[in-house]
C-alpha cells in the first residue's frame, strides 16, 4: 500500500493489436506484466482504467495484474460511447454515457463521483442533438467545474489527436453551463491548466500552429506565433506544467493515415507562456 508504481505501455505487441502494461514497483523493482485489448489508459490512485474494445467494456487493472470490469462505469445495451476524465488529484471522476435515438440523435448523460464510486450523482444531460455528443475534457484546478466539449461524433477516428469544437464549462455545484472564451472555435487541439485554456490554430500558410492563450475566466487571448514546419498539419495532446510557465504539444506530419502505408513524423513543441515563444525540442520521431 505504501509503494509507488510506474506504468508503461507497449502497444500492438502482436497481430491482434494487443497491448502490454508493465507495472514496476519503484521500491523493489518488481515488474508485473498485463496484456490487454485496450485504449484510453488513465491512471487512478490504485490502478489503471481503460476501455477494452474487444469486450466493449470499461475495465480496471491493478498492479497485481488483476483485470476486472469497472465497478460503476458500466456499458449496457443502447450505449454508443463512454468517455471519462479524472481530476488532477485523482480523487474525483466524471464520465459520460452517450445513447443514440432514432439512428441519428445523441443524448449524453454526465455523471460525477468520488474515485471509489461513492457520492455518485447525475450532473448534466445533453441533447438530443444530431451527430454531436458531450465529451468531458478536464476538471478545473479547484475541481469546482468540469470542462467539456460539444463534440462531433465519429470525426476522431480520422485524426491522430483529439480535436475539440465547442468547449464549455459545467459548474459542478449549480449545474450552470458557460461557453469558454473564444468558443465555439475551430475543430483543433486544446489543453487546460493553471486557470488557462490553450487553443492550437493552424496558421494561414498551413505550415504551423499558432497558440492562443486564454484565461478560463474570460478576456482577450494572447497569441503565440507558430513555428513553421512544412507539411506538419496535425497537432494535439497539449500538456501544461503545474506552474503555468510552459506547455508542450505534439506536431505531426501524417501520410496515409489509417492505412498499411501510414507514415508519421512527430516533433514536440515547447511553448514558453511567459516569453510567448515556441521551440522544437526534439528530432523527428517516427513511432
Amino acid at each position: 500500500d505504501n509503494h509507488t508504481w510506474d506504468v508503461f505501455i507497449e502497444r500492438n505487441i502482436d497481430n491482434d493489436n494487443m497491448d502490454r502494461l508493465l507495472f514496476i514497483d519503484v521500491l523493489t523493482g518488481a515488474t508485473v506484466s498485463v496484456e490487454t485489448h485496450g485504449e484510453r489508459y488513465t491512471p487512478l490512485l490504485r490502478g489503471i482504467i481503460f476501455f477494452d474494445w474487444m469486450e466493449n467494456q470499461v475495465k480496471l487493472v491493478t498492479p497485481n495484474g488483476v483485470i476486472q470490469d469497472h465497478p460503476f462505469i458500466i456499458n449496457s445495451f443502447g450505449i454508443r460511447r463512454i468517455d471519462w476524465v479524472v481530476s488532477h488529484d485523482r480523487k474525483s471522476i466524471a464520465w459520460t454515457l452517450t445513447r443514440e435515438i432514432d439512428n441519428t440523435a445523441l443524448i449524453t448523460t454526465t455523471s460525477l463521483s468520488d474515485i471509489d464510486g461513492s457520492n455518485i450523482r447525475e450532473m448534466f444531460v445533453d441533447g438530443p442533438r444530431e451527430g454531436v455528443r458531450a465529451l468531458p475534457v478536464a476538471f478545473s484546478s479547484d475541481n469546482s467545474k468540469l470542462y467539456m466539449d460539444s463534440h462531433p461524433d465519429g470525426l476522431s477516428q480520422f485524426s491522430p489527436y483529439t480535436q475539440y469544437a465547442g468547449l464549455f464549462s459545467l459548474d459542478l455545484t449549480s449545474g450552470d453551463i458557460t461557453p469558454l472564451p473564444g468558443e465555439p472555435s475551430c475543430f483543433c487541439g486544446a489543453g487546460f491548466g493553471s486557470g488557462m485554456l490553450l487553443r492550437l490554430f493552424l496558421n494561414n500558410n498551413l505550415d504551423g500552429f499558432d497558440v492562443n492563450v486564454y484565461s478560463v475566466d474570460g478576456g482577450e487571448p494572447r497569441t503565440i506565433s507558430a513555428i513553421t514546419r512544412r507539411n506538419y498539419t496535425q497537432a494535439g495532446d497539449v500538456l501544461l506544467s503545474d506552474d503555468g510557465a510552459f506547455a508542450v504539444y505534439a506536431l505531426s506530419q501524417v501520410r496515409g493515415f489509417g492505412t498499411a502505408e501510414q507514415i508519421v513524423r512527430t516533433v514536440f513543441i515547447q511553448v514558453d507562456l511567459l516569453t510567448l515563444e515556441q521551440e522544437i525540442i526534439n528530432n523527428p520521431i517516427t513511432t
Side-chain angles (χ1 to χ4, degrees):
D1 287 343
N2 296 320
H3 291 200
T4 298
W5 296 80
D6 284 343
V7 190
F8 300 89
I9 304 174
E10 294 179 332
R11 295 191 184 274
N12 301 326
I13 62 175
D14 61 9
N15 293 330
D16 197 27
N17 294 322
M18 180 173 282
D19 297 335
R20 179 181 292 122
L21 296 182
L22 298 172
F23 291 88
I24 301 178
D25 189 318
V26 174
L27 181 64
T28 68
T31 300
V32 176
S33 175
V34 185
E35 294 182 349
T36 68
H37 289 100
E39 62 184 32
R40 291 181 276 151
Y41 300 97
T42 308
L44 305 179
L45 287 176
R46 293 179 176 269
I48 302 291
I49 182 176
F50 68 96
F51 188 79
D52 187 317
W53 49 265
M54 183 73 78
E55 296 188 17
N56 199 33
Q57 193 63 263
V58 181
K59 298 282 188 174
L60 180 66
V61 54
T62 49
N64 60 3
V66 174
I67 300 177
Q68 62 189 53
D69 288 349
H70 194 276
F72 57 89
I73 303 178
I74 300 170
N75 200 1
S76 61
F77 179 78
I79 294 177
R80 176 186 177 95
R81 174 84 184 192
I82 302 176
D83 293 284
W84 62 84
V85 66
V86 177
S87 63
H88 185 70
D89 59 11
R90 298 180 186 172
K91 293 182 179 180
S92 301
I93 187 169
W95 68 97
T96 53
L97 303 178
T98 300
R99 294 177 170 84
E100 185 178 54
I101 60 173
D102 298 329
N103 297 320
T104 57
L106 301 177
I107 294 179
T108 304
T109 302
T110 302
S111 300
L112 175 73
S113 81
D114 297 339
I115 206 70
D116 61 0
S118 59
N119 198 25
I120 294 178
R121 59 244 192 235
E122 185 178 293
M123 299 301 303
F124 174 54
V125 178
D126 180 75
R129 292 201 285 174
E130 187 169 343
V132 176
R133 71 178 193 272
L135 174 70
V137 180
F139 281 85
S140 64
S141 56
D142 61 0
N143 293 341
S144 66
K145 297 180 176 65
L146 180 66
Y147 301 129
M148 305 187 70
D149 187 47
S150 296
H151 198 72
D153 187 58
L155 287 185
S156 294
Q157 62 182 311
F158 303 111
S159 172
Y161 302 109
T162 303
Q163 313 285 295
Y164 305 102
L167 293 162
F168 62 93
S169 172
L170 169 65
D171 190 299
L172 297 177
T173 300
S174 66
D176 291 342
I177 300 295
T178 306
L180 286 168
E183 301 296 321
S185 184
C186 61
F187 189 59
C188 47
F192 290 92
S194 300
M196 293 181 287
L197 162 63
L198 270 61
R199 269 296 212 171
L200 306 181
F201 287 87
L202 187 62
N203 66 10
N204 293 332
N205 295 326
L206 307 181
D207 60 1
F209 284 80
D210 295 335
V211 178
N212 276 4
V213 184
Y214 298 88
S215 167
V216 293
D217 296 323
E220 293 298 316
R222 295 172 292 159
T223 299
I224 305 175
S225 297
I227 286 183
T228 58
R229 192 89 181 178
R230 187 172 178 82
N231 296 324
Y232 279 67
T233 58
Q234 299 290 331
D237 286 0
V238 181
L239 298 176
L240 279 79
S241 60
D242 290 339
D243 61 5
F246 292 95
V248 65
Y249 65 91
L251 176 65
S252 295
Q253 176 191 77
V254 183
R255 297 179 179 177
F257 178 70
T259 70
E261 293 75 32
Q262 174 177 288
I263 298 174
V264 180
R265 293 171 62 84
T266 301
V267 293
F268 299 124
I269 307 296
Q270 180 175 277
V271 184
D272 190 319
L273 298 171
L274 302 179
T275 65
L276 304 184
E277 296 175 316
Q278 302 191 54
E279 66 172 326
I280 298 171
I281 58 174
N282 69 299
N283 294 321
I285 59 174
T286 56
T287 303

